């Protein structure tokens, strides 16, 4: 929110602060408010100071209750200056909110984000100090609806503000009402891809806070939850917000049912977003998850990262909803291609594969083919990937003792002229992997990175080791830092003084490069 | 009759018969002599020895035995002496007298060679010389005195002529001559006496002269001694000196002798080694280092398994064969060195953070234990020099205690003046330096004058320096500053002494440099005029002197020093800089040099930054070429901090790269990988610098995008470096192999229908085929190597494409050779071969296409030959059951009292034995008694009989006498 052009913006914000203070201190300066609102018309990139100012002003006004109009039923409208002033303030308030929402659409990202925050803060303030006197809990759904209308823009991507919006969805009331509002807004015949994107992102953010699943344990747990529950518009002396997970779930379902009817699978970005939402957040909430089966199956065939995501959904279905999926393993097998290293979801894939292959009822030949393929891939992967794959192979060897013959053949080892394993075979069980051995793992013993070499050694020693480990997934670039942190007893250095750039022995750079002439 | 008839046969038969008979006789027992002991209880299976006995025989034997022992003893009873003749061969009559003597002499010699005297060679023989034993002769007297005896000639030193004349009187002829000479005998004698006296006097004089000379020599030697012999205790020597001077002449000798005896001998230093020997040692050292490097190549686990193969030294009796090892690490005693740092083994330091201990990587302090050795080796000579100087000074100090204070004052003032001068104008400094150029002694004498001249200056300058230091406080702490300036004094002095030598060296170097330069004729701009170099260098001297004065501008200093110079000038300047801050000269220099290392890194970075022209690139590499040896030197001076700098640099570069991982870093990053490979052993399994840089390179190759000439050429640069890193260890680097695969993919014609997999960052069907050759280039000449211009290239032209595929293929072959041992070779290289098969070789120059097809066939052949053996584990030997020591239990003794406790049973058994023995002994004694009695009775009877006989005889005689008497009577 800090101004970029320090001097000018500082001046402006100081000026604005002065004006706001003056306005708040006495009614004499009422025109200041009009001036401030007028300033929205100016074309600039950065509305942040303005937004902050109106946020301060109206939060204060709401707190004071200046905006409350005392409307007595069956009486003509009060024309006293006091009432006029209040009415004018209300108008200004409405105008300010409209301005703020407009600001969300244009200007710099920081300014847009500030607009969202301002709108939400005003919403919060209004929730705490409602314009009309209410006894119970009050949530200004209308305001939220307006915000959502802006967020669900059809032309511009709102992913930055939506991401920012996540800090408000932690509040349970915001979540519940948000879902409700969203469900009301959702219906649209043929939405644009950007609209879908925004919608899905918003839904994703709304579901970021987990919705408790069981309705039964309402007793003590519930009370505890309520104590900890964060409520946006809570104010003291008023009844608590009645949070109802079932309602939330219902609205979430409704949102998804609208989204289902859209052509989600046409654009890969939307498709991926939808799948991510479905798999990560929605799956446990859906009333009839098997309705998503078709979509997941289609996605599974799409290939690449999309199928990896779909795989997770399918796994969920298979595990919890008794869905039988044909050629599941062959599809999984097909995903293990060198290209998987380039995708973002490779770690997820490895993790899922570990779960998939943990069944001990799988045929040996199939698991062997997986092991073989993974070790082939480990041969070309980056150190981190190789380590993960080797860990997977080690787990396979541990869970399926029959695979031991791939690392230590019991009967007299035959000498073969080539590897019996067929890499190109698309069906795992026909790849003839059982007759092969994991030579690749042995090759990885000589990997330059010590961690990979150690992992390979662990695979080879897998036959007599403890239960399989879960895949520990490391961060990127952790390897480099970890290596720097390592301590060494001594620092070995070369013992022959080089006279030039070339090494005394084993120079390779200058063998391939003519650099000095 | 038959006997007569067949005499011969009968004789034989008889003999046989007789023999048999004799045997039979021998064995045959008289049945009447056999006494059978009656058995009371018959025990089955028991062998009894005593079932029968021969009482007669046994008795006879016993009696015989007693006769031999007790009998002889009795004979000698009450006799005081015995006489035994032990002369060899005395009793033997057969030996002649001579033989007897020989035998006795032999026996004597044998006795001498008994075990005791085996090592005392010639102990018994006393060697003599002219009848005197050597011991008597060897008195180690003053050799001077013996001169007299030597001089003594025959006849009291008289001439031969004289003797022959005087003693023998001469003949007639001679007498006549004497008469002619008119010399009387008396005259002659007088002349003789005078002559001899004169001679004696001369001799005396000569002797005194030599004595004087000897003494002088001795005293000089005494002076020299402290110089020649290292580290002598000053106090002691001075005492001896005093005593010596006080002592009288007579005592001198004894003193001297004693001193010589107890004096510390000069420590023997290693003799100068011949060149071959040095080379040999060098070679051995390098071999040893190579061996260690190869050891480090193996992973720790492998090493531990190797270690485990060795049988443990000790196995406890309670060992359960579970490979459990007691950790009996030696407990170390916590001790502190003089600085208050704990002396703790390295591994302990690592495991527990001892609060006082400095971290290993903290700075250059804690690593001294490792490095000291190296440094000492390097600066051995310097040390010696310094030490010599020290001892010199010490001597002076001790000798002239009075003047000691003076000198110290002098030196202090000297330092002060120098310090002040230094901070003052450079002119002043140079004056000072000129003065100090003289020898040390001279220097000290000169200093008096100097003080006078420079004291005034120092006063002035002190004020100046104060203001300066204040101004500098912001950039550096005051104390630091002072320290460094102090150090500089020392180093500066040395500096100037070195200067002359250096000038020679530098001139040599410049020659070399010019030689080298002549190689790069095509780069005229680089070949700076050698003549101007000396001037430059002189300029730079001042810069060097003040190089580390101010911390913040060190980097600028270096830049100033080096920019705009030819590579060979770089060498000279750096050589000088490093030499003048040799760590042997001052403590701080080590740290300063490590800072210099950091600045050199920065300089290298700057040199390689923003180079886009081919010429610039070449120039940068030429400069780098010259810098590398100095990097090496610096890294040897301070391993730890230089490593820290390099790692920090890598980290910085890595972070910069991570901000945009798709862009390949430029040369100012890549060059440091090359630097690492020249400085550190790249074959180590894990190395604090090499491993991170390998990770960095592999990261670049896996995540960067290779879409233009810039990135592809740098990719090749990295791959060749990776080859260099793994040339010894032959480790598997997938990133490099994948890169080659991708590059070949970019060169090859692949269609959608029949794809060959590539590994990210290259994408199937997505990566633009930038390297594919579109027109026929078969007539183009191909260059063998990639060149600097490729690094500068912005567009991919055909020649670059050709070079790319050629280099890729050659590298591929090298990787292939490196990984030949791996069984999964085919899985690794199959895609490459496929892709190379799709390259349209007709378009390439003949040489290139030939080379590529050669490599392809080579790889194919090797893959064909490759066999696959299923992996199997080594057969585990079944563990042998452990055998335990046999459990020995008491043998059943058959005693009745088995209920008794062990001690009691033993006691009872022993008592039984004792009783038995006692009984037997008593019986023996009784029998002895009986024997003695029988002997005595026999003797008594015998003597009685003799007496009786004698009595009878007497009676007989008497009766005869009586009879005769009676007869006479009767006759009367």
């Amino acid at each position: 929110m800090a101004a970029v052009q320090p001097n000018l913006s500082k001046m402006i914000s100081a000026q604005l602060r002065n004006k706001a203070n003056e306005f708040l201190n006495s009614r004499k300066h009422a025109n200041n408010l009009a001036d401030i609102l007028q300033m929205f018309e100016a074309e600039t990139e950065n509305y942040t100071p303005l937004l902050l100012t109106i946020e301060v002003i109206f939060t204060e006004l709401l707190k004071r209750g200046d905006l409350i109009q005392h409307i007595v039923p069956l009486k003509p409208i009060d024309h006293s200056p006091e009432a006029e002033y209040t009415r004018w303030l209300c108008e200004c308030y409405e105008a300010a909110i409209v301005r703020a929402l407009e600001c969300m659409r244009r200007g710099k990202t920081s300014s847009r984000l500030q607009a969202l925050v301002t709108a939400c803060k005003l919403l919060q303030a209004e929730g705490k100090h409602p314009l009309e006197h209410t006894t119970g809990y009050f949530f200004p759904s209308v305001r939220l609806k307006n915000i959502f209308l802006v967020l669900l823009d059809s032309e511009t991507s709102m992913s930055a503000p939506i991401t920012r919006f996540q800090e408000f969805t932690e509040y349970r009331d915001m979540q519940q009402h948000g879902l409700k509002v969203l469900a009301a807004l959702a219906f649209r015949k043929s939405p644009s891809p950007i609209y879908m994107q925004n919608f899905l992102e918003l839904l994703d953010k709304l579901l970021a806070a987990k919705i408790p699943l069981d309705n039964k344990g309402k007793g003590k747990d519930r009370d505890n939850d309520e104590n900890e529950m964060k409520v946006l518009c809570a104010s003291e002396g008023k009844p608590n917000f009645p949070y109802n997970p079932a309602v939330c779930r219902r609205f979430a379902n409704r949102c998804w049912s609208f989204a289902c009817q859209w052509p989600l699978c046409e654009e890969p970005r939307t498709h991926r977003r939808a799948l991510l939402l479905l798999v990560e957040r929605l799956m446990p909430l859906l009333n009839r998850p098997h309705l998503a089966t078709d979509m997941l199956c289609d996605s599974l065939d799409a290939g690449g990262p999309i199928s990896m995501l779909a795989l997770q959904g399918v796994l969920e279905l298979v595990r919890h909803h008794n869905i039988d999926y044909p050629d599941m393993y062959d599809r999984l097998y097909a995903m293990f291609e060198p290209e998987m290293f380039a995708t973002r979801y490779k770690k997820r894939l490895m993790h899922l594969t570990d779960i998939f292959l943990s069944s001990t009822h799988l045929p040996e030949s199939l698991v062997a083919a997986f092991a073989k393929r993974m070790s082939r891939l480990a041969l070309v992967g980056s150190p981190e990937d190789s380590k993960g794959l080797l860990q997977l192979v080690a787990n396979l060897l541990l869970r399926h003792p029959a695979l031991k013959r791939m690392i230590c053949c019991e009967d007299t080892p035959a000498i073969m002229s080539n590897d019996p394993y067929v890499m190109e075979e698309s069906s795992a069980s026909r790849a003839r992997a059982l007759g092969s051995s994991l030579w690749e793992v042995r090759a990885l013993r000589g990997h330059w990175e010590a961690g990979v070499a150690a992992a390979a050694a662990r695979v080879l020693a897998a036959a007599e080791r403890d239960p399989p480990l879960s895949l520990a997934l490391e961060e990127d670039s952790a390897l480099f830092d970890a290596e720097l942190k390592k301590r060494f007893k001594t620092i070995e250095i070369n013992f022959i003084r080089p006279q030039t750039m070339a090494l005394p022995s084993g120079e390779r750079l200058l063998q391939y490069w003519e650099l000095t002439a | 009759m038959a006997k007569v008839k067949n005499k011969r046969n009968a004789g034989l038969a008889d003999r046989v018969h007789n023999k048999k008979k004799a045997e039979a006789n021998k064995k045959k027992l008289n049945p009447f002599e056999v006494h059978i002991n009656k058995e009371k209880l018959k025990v089955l299976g028991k062998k009894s020895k005593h079932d029968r006995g021969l009482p007669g025989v046994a008795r006879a034997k016993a009696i015989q035995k007693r006769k031999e022992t007790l009998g002889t003893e009795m004979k000698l009873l009450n006799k005081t002496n015995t006489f035994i003749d032990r002369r060899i061969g005395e009793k033997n009559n057969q030996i002649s007298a001579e033989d007897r003597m020989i035998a006795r002499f032999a026996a004597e010699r044998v006795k001498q060679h008994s075990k005791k005297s085996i090592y005392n060679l010639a102990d018994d023989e006393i060697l003599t010389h002219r009848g005197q034993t050597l011991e008597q002769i060897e008195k180690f007297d003053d050799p001077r005195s013996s001169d007299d005896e030597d001089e003594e000639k025959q006849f009291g030193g008289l001439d031969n002529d004289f003797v022959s004349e005087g003693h023998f009187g001469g003949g007639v002829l001679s007498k006549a001559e004497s008469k002619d000479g008119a010399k009387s005998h008396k005259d002659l004698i007088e002349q003789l006496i005078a002559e001899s006296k004169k001679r004696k006097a001369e001799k005396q004089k000569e002797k005194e002269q030599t004595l004087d000379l000897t003494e002088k020599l001795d005293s000089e030697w005494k002076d020299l001694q402290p110089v020649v012999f290292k580290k002598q205790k000053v106090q002691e020597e001075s005492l001896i000196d005093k005593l010596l001077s006080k002592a009288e002449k007579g005592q001198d000798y004894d003193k001297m002798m004693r001193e010589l005896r107890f004096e510390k001998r000069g420590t023997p230093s290693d003799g100068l080694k011949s060149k071959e020997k040095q080379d040999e040692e060098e070679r051995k050292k390098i071999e040893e280092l190579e061996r260690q490097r190869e050891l480090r190549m193996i992973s720790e686990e492998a090493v531990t398994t190797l270690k485990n193969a060795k049988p443990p030294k000790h196995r406890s009796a309670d060992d359960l064969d579970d490979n459990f090892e007691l950790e009996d690490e030696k407990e170390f005693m916590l001790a502190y060195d003089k600085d208050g740092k704990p002396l703790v083994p390295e591994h302990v330091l690592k495991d527990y953070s001892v609060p006082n201990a400095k971290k290993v990587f903290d700075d250059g302090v804690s690593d001294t234990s490792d490095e000291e050795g190296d440094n000492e080796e390097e600066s051995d000579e310097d040390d010696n020099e310094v030490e010599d100087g020290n001892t010199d000074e010490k001597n002076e100090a001790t000798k002239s205690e009075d003047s000691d204070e003076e000198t110290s004052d002098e030196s202090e003032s000297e330092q002060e003046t120098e310090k002040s001068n230094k901070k003052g104008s450079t002119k002043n400094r140079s004056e000072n330096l000129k003065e100090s150029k003289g020898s040390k002694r001279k220097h000290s004498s000169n200093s008096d004058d100097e003080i006078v001249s420079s004291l005034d200056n120092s006063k002035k300058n002190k004020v100046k320096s104060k203001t300066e230091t204040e101004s500098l406080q912001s950039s550096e702490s005051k104390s630091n500053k002072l320290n460094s300036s102090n150090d500089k004094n020392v180093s500066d002095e040395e500096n100037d002494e070195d200067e002359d030598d250096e000038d020679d060296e530098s001139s040599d170097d410049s020659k070399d440099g010019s030689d080298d330069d002549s190689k790069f004729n095509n780069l005229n701009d680089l070949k700076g005029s050698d003549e101007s170099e000396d001037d430059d260098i002189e300029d730079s001297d001042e810069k060097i002197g003040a190089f580390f004065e101010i911390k913040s501008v060190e980097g600028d200093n270096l830049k100033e020093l080096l920019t705009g110079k030819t590579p060979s000038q770089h060498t000279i300047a750096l050589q000088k800089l490093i030499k003048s801050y040799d760590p042997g000269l001052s403590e701080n220099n080590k740290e300063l040099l490590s800072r210099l290392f950091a600045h050199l890194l920065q300089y290298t970075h700057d040199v390689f930054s923003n180079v886009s022209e081919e010429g610039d690139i070449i120039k940068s590499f030429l400069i780098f070429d010259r810098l590398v040896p100095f990097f090496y030197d610096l890294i040897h001076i301070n391993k730890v901090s230089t490593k820290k700098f390099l790692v920090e640099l890598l980290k910085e570069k890595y972070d910069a790269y991570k901000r945009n991982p798709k862009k390949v870093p430029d040369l100012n990053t890549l060059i440091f990988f090359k630097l690492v490979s020249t400085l550190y052993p790249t074959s180590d399994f894990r190395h604090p610098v090499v491993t991170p840089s390998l990770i960095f390179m592999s990261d670049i190759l896996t995540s960067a995008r290779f879409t233009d000439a810039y990135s592809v050429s740098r990719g090749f640069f990295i791959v060749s470096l990776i080859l260099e890193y793994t040339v010894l260890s032959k480790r598997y680097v997938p990133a490099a192999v994948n890169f080659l695969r991708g590059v070949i993919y970019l060169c090859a014609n692949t269609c959608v229908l029949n794809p060959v997999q590539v590994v990210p960052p290259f994408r199937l069907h997505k990566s633009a085929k930038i390297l594919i050759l579109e027109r026929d280039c078969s007539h183009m000449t191909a260059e063998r190597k990639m060149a600097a211009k490729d690094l500068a290239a912005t567009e991919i032209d055909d020649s670059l494409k050709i070079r790319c595929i050629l280099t890729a293929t050659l590298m591929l072959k090298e990787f292939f050779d490196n990984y030949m041992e791996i069984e999964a070779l085919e899985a690794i290289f199959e895609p490459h071969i496929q892709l190379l098969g799709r390259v349209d070789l007709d378009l390439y120059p003949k040489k290139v296409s030939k080379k590529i097809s050669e490599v392809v066939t080579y790889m194919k052949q090797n893959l064909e030959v490759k066999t696959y053996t299923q992996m199997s584990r080594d057969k585990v030997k079944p563990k042998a059951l452990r055998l335990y020591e046999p459990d020995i239990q008491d043998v059943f003794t058959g005693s009745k009292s088995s209920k008794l406790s062990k001690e009691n049973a033993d006691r009872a058994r022993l008592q039984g034995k004792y009783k038995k023995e006692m009984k037997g002994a008593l019986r023996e004694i009784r029998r002895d008694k009986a024997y003695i009695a029988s002997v005595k009775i026999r003797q008594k009877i015998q003597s009685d009989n003799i007496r009786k006989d004698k009595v009878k005889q007497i009676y007989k005689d008497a009766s005869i006498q009586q009879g005769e008497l009676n007869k006479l009577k009767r006759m009367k």
Side-chain angles (χ1 to χ4, degrees), chain B residues 696-812:
Chain B
F696 195 171
M697 286 196 281
S698 147
D699 267 6
I700 293 173
L701 287 185
T702 41
S703 46
R705 292 273 176 276
F706 299 95
T707 50
D708 48 7
Y710 168 88
S711 52
V712 170
S713 60
R714 276 156 186 73
F716 273 115
F717 191 86
I718 293 172
V719 172
S720 54
L721 276 174
I722 284 181
L723 262 177
E724 193 171 304
Y725 273 53
T726 57
V727 70
L728 202 68
S729 57
K730 306 215 184 313
R731 293 219 176 79
Y732 176 58
V733 190
V737 180
N738 292 341
F739 173 79
L740 292 181
R741 185 155 145 187
V743 166
I744 298 172
Y745 171 77
L746 295 184
C747 299
N749 296 308
T750 49
C751 56
V752 185
L753 290 178
N754 197 359
V756 179
Q757 289 283 354
V758 284
V759 183
F762 297 93
R763 312 288 293 269
L764 199 61
H765 313 312
K766 280 178 191 163
S767 303
K769 300 242 173 192
I770 49 169
L771 290 178
I772 200 159
L773 210 56
E774 268 142 12
R775 57 193 191 82
D776 190 8
C777 299
S778 54
H779 47 272
M780 267 176 79
T781 51
E783 289 158 73
R784 280 211 65 221
K785 287 181 172 183
M786 302 285 281
K789 66 178 180 228
D790 297 334
L791 289 170
T794 47
E795 301 235 327
I796 301 176
D797 57 356
D798 288 343
S799 76
L800 177 60
K801 289 177 188 171
I802 294 166
R803 269 199 302 282
C804 277
I805 192 156
L806 182 64
T807 316
T809 319
L810 291 176
M811 284 175 171
L812 188 68

Side-chain angles (χ1 to χ4, degrees), chain A residues 337-342 376 378-384 386 405-419 424 434-451 453-454 457 460-464 476-481 483-503 505-517, chain B residues 286 289-290 293 296 301 346-347 350 359-361 370 520 618 621-622 624-625 628-630 632-633 635-636 639-640 643 647 650-651 654 658 674 677-681 684-688 691-692 694-696 698 702 713 716-717 720-721 723-724 727 731-734 738 741 757-760 763-764 785-788 790-791 807 810-811 814 822-824 826-828 866-873 875:
Chain A
E337 285 288 331
E339 272 168 34
M340 70 173 264
F341 293 127
R376 276 277 167 94
L379 214 48
V380 295
S382 67
E384 288 95 344
S386 294
R405 56 183 299 188
M406 293 180 81
I407 52 168
C408 50
C409 190
E410 233 96 282
D411 31 301
T412 47
I415 294 174
M416 293 170 281
S417 62
N418 58 354
D419 194 345
E424 288 76 27
L434 263 186
S436 179
S437 282
L438 294 178
W439 295 293
E440 291 85 359
V441 178
R442 197 184 268 172
L444 285 172
R445 286 290 311 269
H447 198 276
W448 63 272
E449 214 278 313
L460 292 181
E464 67 260 339
D476 261 358
S477 84
L479 193 59
F480 186 82
D481 295 335
E483 199 61 40
L484 289 188
K485 270 177 202 144
K486 220 158 240 140
R487 291 176 137 202
F488 290 82
K489 272 182 205 163
T490 56
I491 303 158
E492 303 296 343
I493 46 186
N494 273 348
F495 41 83
I496 301 174
R497 187 175 189 263
Q499 292 307 318
T500 62
M501 181 164 71
L503 290 179
S505 67
E507 171 65 34
R508 286 294 179 276
L509 182 66
L510 296 181
Q511 184 183 324
Y512 294 106
W513 287 85
E514 190 65 57
L515 290 172
T516 50
Chain B
I286 285 177
L289 287 169
E290 296 252 11
R293 182 172 67 177
R296 286 197 306 265
E301 291 155 43
E346 192 90 21
H347 65 277
K350 204 185 65 183
K359 267 188 187 174
V360 180
F361 292 135
D370 248 0
F520 317 123
I618 292 175
F621 273 109
L622 281 174
F624 177 70
D625 204 34
V628 162
F630 299 104
Y632 177 86
D633 290 343
I635 213 168
H636 270 269
K639 275 184 202 173
V640 176
K643 175 246 161 196
V647 165
L650 280 176
K651 170 78 182 146
Y654 187 75
K658 270 290 161 189
K674 175 64 194 166
S677 89
T678 52
L679 297 183
Y680 296 102
D684 284 14
F685 184 69
R686 246 194 177 133
H687 191 281
T691 315
L694 246 180
I695 292 174
F696 195 171
S698 147
T702 41
S713 60
F716 273 115
F717 191 86
S720 54
L721 276 174
L723 262 177
E724 193 171 304
V727 70
R731 293 219 176 79
Y732 176 58
V733 190
N738 292 341
R741 185 155 145 187
Q757 289 283 354
V758 284
V759 183
R763 312 288 293 269
L764 199 61
K785 287 181 172 183
M786 302 285 281
D790 297 334
L791 289 170
T807 316
L810 291 176
M811 284 175 171
E814 186 154 0
I822 295 176
E823 275 123 324
E826 191 175 354
I828 298 170
K866 196 99 194 152
T867 56
Y868 295 81
T869 323
Q870 274 179 326
M871 284 161 80
S872 61
R873 192 156 302 166
K875 286 274 184 290

